[in-house]
Amino acid sequence: AQTVTQSQPEMSVQEAETVTLSCTYDTSESDYYLFWYKQPPSRQMILVIRQEAYKQQNATENRFSVNFQKAAKSFSLKISDSQLGDAAMYFCAYKLTQGGSEKLVFGKGTKLTVNP
Amino acid sequence: EAGVVQSPRYKIIEKKQPVAFWCNPISGHNTLYWYRQNLGQGPELLIRYENEEAVDDSQLPKDRFSAERLKGVDSTLKIQPAELGDSAVYLCASSSGGTSRETQYFGPGTRLLVL
């Protein structure tokens, strides 16, 4: 069974600084998607960034980028120039590309605090 | 484009009472998911619909939980009777077909408290 592990329950960063959130996963599949979702206190789960496993190039979305290491099954999220609005729970998630249950398998999340 | 809509946002009930949650997915999204998120955990899938067909309900506790998606649009998730352990946030998500199929868009969730 696929599992997703986020080893940092909490992280903090100073405003305008850079922070990296860790995620590792376990799968025997070769074709899948990885996601980072943000969940602020309002509880709306918002997609931050996604990565297709077959792509070697790391995905980027403005201040958000990932470091995808397929062999190591690692998928970390880097937030540059952190802003107060980045404070939230961040969840790493995995999904098979085809077949399976189409469900997202989530980690337990990392709570990010941004200090002014 | 409107996002996934859920209601109610909050619900407090006594144990053994019934409760229902409603979800309206993004227009045109054929796939609808119900997830449950316990405190301090990531969401876990309860059931997935492709149009009006439930294609994955292996994680749904069928003795007390039921769901329906009439006409392949709105969906309702019901719990009867509710237990203390059902206190959680219930999230609805939807996704479209084609190349965007893999991205699920979530609603704001319904926070359930069972007393």
Side-chain angles (χ1 to χ4, degrees):
Chain A
Q2 293 82 18
T3 59
V4 176
T5 302
Q6 293 179 251
S7 59
Q8 305 154 318
E10 297 187 27
M11 291 283 285
S12 63
V13 62
Q14 290 297 124
E15 195 175 3
E17 297 295 311
T18 296
V19 64
T20 298
L21 308 184
S22 300
C23 173
T24 58
Y25 57 95
D26 185 24
T27 183
S28 58
E29 304 291 335
S30 61
D31 203 9
Y32 47 87
Y33 291 101
L34 295 165
F35 304 84
W36 279 98
Y37 278 89
K38 169 186 177 181
Q39 189 176 42
S42 68
R43 303 213 72 83
Q44 182 95 39
M45 193 79 76
I46 302 166
L47 178 66
V48 175
I49 199 166
R50 78 176 193 213
Q51 174 82 41
E52 291 92 335
Y54 69 88
K55 290 186 177 179
Q56 293 185 340
Q57 186 174 7
N58 289 325
T60 62
E61 287 287 343
N62 301 314
R63 297 183 296 106
F64 299 88
S65 61
V66 298
N67 183 6
F68 174 47
Q69 301 290 327
K70 191 172 184 179
K73 297 181 182 176
S74 171
F75 183 61
S76 61
L77 174 69
K78 185 172 80 171
I79 306 174
S80 304
D81 186 24
S82 296
Q83 301 176 359
L84 295 177
D86 294 335
M89 285 291 293
Y90 285 82
F91 291 95
C92 178
Y94 161 101
K95 180 184 170 302
L96 281 173
T97 304
Q98 295 181 354
S101 68
E102 298 276 342
K103 69 180 180 182
L104 286 169
V105 177
F106 287 88
K108 292 187 175 182
T110 297
K111 181 180 181 180
L112 179 66
T113 301
V114 181
N115 300 310
Chain B
E1 179 182 84
V4 176
V5 179
Q6 290 188 248
S7 69
R9 292 295 308 276
Y10 304 92
K11 190 74 177 178
I12 302 174
I13 60 172
E14 299 281 337
K15 64 181 181 180
K16 299 185 181 181
Q17 294 299 306
V19 65
F21 315 124
W22 175 81
C23 173
N24 178 248
I26 293 173
S27 178
H29 281 193
N30 297 326
T31 308
L32 183 146
Y33 313 77
W34 282 103
Y35 287 85
R36 177 168 61 186
Q37 185 176 21
N38 293 315
L39 188 64
Q41 303 291 319
E44 294 181 335
L45 182 72
L46 290 174
I47 189 168
R48 171 172 69 99
Y49 281 93
E50 293 290 343
N51 298 304
E52 65 274 10
E53 182 182 1
V55 295
D56 182 2
D57 61 357
S58 58
Q59 301 301 311
L60 189 71
K62 298 181 183 60
D63 57 335
R64 299 183 299 107
F65 285 65
S66 64
E68 61 182 11
R69 191 184 184 196
L70 300 177
K71 300 182 180 179
V73 181
D74 295 358
S75 177
T76 303
L77 178 69
K78 298 179 182 178
I79 308 175
Q80 181 171 10
E83 297 179 351
L84 296 178
D86 295 332
S87 295
V89 176
Y90 291 82
L91 296 167
C92 180
S94 69
S95 65
S96 65
T99 57
S100 298
R101 182 183 177 87
E102 70 283 356
T103 300
Q104 297 180 21
Y105 297 90
F106 285 81
T110 296
R111 184 188 292 271
L112 173 67
L113 179 60
V114 182
L115 302 176

